[in-house]
Amino acid sequence: MPVKSSASTPTTPRKRRTRKTNTRTAKAVAKTDKVIAEIQAVLDAPSILDTPVKTPKKVTATVRKVKAVKPVSKIRTLKTVKRPSTARLISASRYWSDIQTRWSIHNYEITMLISDLTKGLKYVRQFTN
């Protein structure tokens, strides 16, 4: 069996931490005594179960008369709506050209977004290497 060598044992004993002692002041003792007295007073008080039960009072309700509601004399009708004129509508070819223009604007904006994100990614990558 292996035996512990005497050379590895320290010559001075290990230092141990001393614990603080608990000192109670006169204020703490007085406060504790006061709390104990309050608790004892509550324990000595008569219980709710010891008091006799009183019969509940009879409740009476009064009925109020509701006033009659006056009927509404006028019945409102919706305003008549006229169909708008078709003269101001755009033609199908003009509508199609508007859609194509909006789509090309959309493609341009998406391309610029991707290029901005690429520039941002290249900028951030220089700090991660």
Side-chain angles (χ1 to χ4, degrees), residues 56-97:
K57 293 182 181 179
K58 197 171 193 178
V59 179
T60 57
T62 57
V63 179
R64 296 181 186 170
K65 292 184 179 181
V66 179
K67 294 180 182 179
V69 178
K70 294 180 182 178
V72 179
S73 59
K74 290 185 179 180
I75 298 176
R76 298 174 125 191
T77 57
L78 295 174
K79 294 181 181 179
T80 57
V81 180
K82 294 182 181 179
R83 186 172 187 265
S85 170
T86 57
R88 303 227 32 211
L89 295 177
I90 60 173
S91 65
S93 62
R94 196 164 162 212
Y95 185 69
W96 181 249
S97 67

Side-chain angles (χ1 to χ4, degrees), residues 19-37:
R19 301 202 183 271
K20 294 180 181 178
T21 59
N22 187 8
T23 57
R24 292 181 65 182
T25 62
K27 284 184 179 180
V29 172
K31 195 181 268 187
T32 305
D33 291 341
K34 182 179 177 184
V35 171
I36 291 173

